[in-house]
Amino acid sequence: MRVSIIVIALLFAAGSALSGDGKQYGKQLTVKEVTKISDIMAKPDRYNGKRVLVEGGIVDVCAKRGCWMKIASDKEFESITFKVDDGVIIFPMDAKGKTARGEGVISVKKYSVEQQIESGKKHAKEENEEFDPSSVKGPKTVILLKGEGAVID
Amino acid sequence: MIKWRKWNNVLHRDIGYAVVALTIVYAVSGIAVNHMADWNPNYRQQKEALELQPVQGETTQEMKQHVMRQLHLADEPKSVFRPDPETIQLFYPGQTYTVDVPTGQGIVESVRTRPVLYEFNQLHLNSVKKGWTWFADLYAVALIFVAVTGMFVLKGKNGITGRGAWFTIMGALVPAGIWIWYQYF
């Protein structure tokens, strides 16, 4: 009986190590210098594959899985999507309006009209939504920050 | 009863009691996050339409003031964003106002955490990190211990050498069968 009480006491004692301020998401930030989002958006090919740290207000968060957030650029009408693999980091929906510092690798992908239609149809089927191929107006460049770690506020 | 079985049963019972609370937390959260495609298990999201006058102002600052006046918002927003020239967004804690500048039509989106479920999910999905990672690992080990010792609680025809074996095999065959089905069919 005494042994089992000790085992259980140890189990609960481990919980005393519980902590966490909830501000750090994913890995620790390693890049010290902030890259302007406007610079990345202006010359995406120059930053493709490079590790960067960006900073800005959070203007949107994935409503389903919290697997991405949009960080506002230093210039108007611009933002960058900070995307993480599903489940690796879950960004809180109430983070909108707060400031984020996010580190990751820039990914630039170019999609033809055909590729966008194919992917739009697939996405619509998965989400049980309608897709209008005429909504695709031309080739598109998608600039993502493949996120690894972030600090919010 | 030989001595090892006595200890097996005592530890199975007492560690079993200790893991009850967290098992319920993980199970409830497990059901909630299993259906993530259909709902957000952490937040309750509410959207309401807004009918304002077309937003006036040359600068974002002026537009923000005009929207705030129309909505009778006294407090400054945490931040303001213009995703495109025709839209302005004002961010308050838990609320986002999105207004179409030329028409004044907009949406206010409120986000609230789901009580209890939010906390359960934070623990289950290890959002806490740090010490919780180790505690959750310890819990998982305790759960394995409870499962394994559970097989040896009884001896005889209802034990693992009799009826218990069939139930244990059935319990293993279900996930194995489903995995094989999804892998090859």
Side-chain angles (χ1 to χ4, degrees):
Chain A
M1 184 65 185
R2 194 178 294 166
V3 173
S4 68
I5 287 173
I6 290 168
V7 170
I8 291 161
L10 283 173
L11 194 69
F12 280 106
S16 65
L18 253 178
S19 61
D21 52 16
K23 292 177 182 176
Q24 172 76 43
Y25 294 85
K27 293 180 183 171
Q28 295 282 333
L29 305 183
T30 57
V31 179
K32 303 289 175 208
E33 198 182 327
V34 173
T35 302
K36 283 184 175 178
I37 293 172
S38 58
D39 286 347
I40 298 167
M41 303 312 267
K43 294 169 187 164
D45 290 331
R46 192 173 137 193
Y47 288 95
N48 193 10
K50 289 198 174 153
R51 175 175 293 276
V52 295
L53 174 70
V54 298
E55 187 174 33
I58 300 169
V59 293
D60 205 1
V61 178
C62 169
K64 276 193 173 171
R65 295 175 187 273
C67 62
W68 55 258
M69 62 177 170
K70 283 189 178 177
I71 302 175
S73 169
D74 46 297
K75 277 191 180 169
E76 280 191 321
F77 319 135
E78 271 183 359
S79 64
I80 194 163
T81 303
F82 185 95
K83 173 80 178 87
V84 297
D85 290 333
D86 284 2
V88 175
I89 303 175
I90 299 173
F91 295 114
M93 271 193 80
D94 52 8
K96 278 192 218 180
K98 294 180 180 175
T99 303
R101 285 156 62 84
E103 181 180 321
V105 176
I106 295 291
S107 157
V108 180
K109 284 193 176 158
K110 290 167 183 167
Y111 295 95
S112 66
V113 171
E114 293 75 25
Q115 284 173 318
Q116 288 176 67
I117 292 172
E118 192 184 331
S119 128
K121 281 180 181 169
K122 193 179 164 196
H123 179 76
K125 196 178 171 187
E126 281 171 3
E127 297 293 320
N128 206 17
E129 291 171 351
E130 297 264 322
F131 173 71
D132 179 11
S134 68
S135 63
V136 179
K137 302 294 180 198
K140 190 165 110 181
T141 302
V142 175
I143 305 158
L144 284 178
L145 178 55
K146 289 191 165 179
E148 292 174 9
V151 174
I152 294 179
D153 264 354
Chain B
M1 185 184 283
I2 59 169
K3 206 176 178 187
W4 72 264
R5 195 184 296 277
K6 182 188 163 193
W7 280 111
N8 177 81
N9 292 4
V10 165
L11 289 172
H12 174 80
R13 181 195 65 200
D14 291 350
I15 294 175
Y17 287 140
V19 297
V20 165
L22 203 48
T23 302
I24 291 169
V25 167
Y26 274 53
V28 170
S29 170
I31 294 168
V33 299
N34 245 358
H35 300 275
M36 225 176 219
D38 305 314
W39 76 323
N40 188 316
N42 288 311
Y43 297 95
R44 206 186 296 271
Q45 206 181 357
Q46 212 173 352
K47 288 183 181 179
E48 277 178 51
L50 294 171
E51 290 286 343
L52 306 179
Q53 296 295 315
V55 182
Q56 293 168 8
E58 291 297 312
T59 63
T60 300
Q61 183 67 13
E62 288 169 0
M63 290 180 184
K64 177 195 80 177
Q65 294 294 348
H66 190 230
V67 172
M68 285 174 68
R69 275 198 304 276
Q70 292 195 73
L71 290 166
H72 306 291
L73 297 168
D75 296 331
E76 281 289 316
K78 264 186 92 71
S79 66
V80 178
F81 182 57
R82 304 267 314 275
D84 55 66
E86 300 201 331
T87 312
I88 185 165
Q89 290 182 304
L90 275 62
F91 296 97
Y92 286 87
Q95 276 189 319
T96 303
Y97 295 88
T98 303
V99 183
D100 184 62
V101 173
T103 64
Q105 291 185 332
I107 288 173
V108 55
E109 181 194 288
S110 306
V111 175
R112 301 271 180 276
T113 53
R114 294 184 189 276
V116 183
L117 209 46
Y118 174 81
E119 286 77 17
F120 279 17
N121 293 336
Q122 293 286 298
L123 295 176
H124 179 205
L125 302 175
N126 193 12
S127 302
V128 183
K129 307 281 183 203
K130 298 183 180 174
W132 184 254
T133 305
W134 296 103
F135 187 69
D137 284 351
L138 196 61
Y139 163 73
V141 171
L143 216 52
I144 293 167
F145 181 83
V146 169
V148 172
T149 53
M151 291 192 293
F152 303 103
V153 166
L154 298 178
K155 57 181 179 180
K157 66 174 184 171
N158 285 328
I160 193 66
T161 54
R163 191 164 162 263
W166 293 107
F167 276 91
T168 305
I169 290 166
M170 275 195 296
L173 281 179
V174 172
I178 290 170
W179 185 81
I180 290 165
W181 176 267
Y182 276 99
Q183 202 71 11
Y184 299 106
F185 298 100

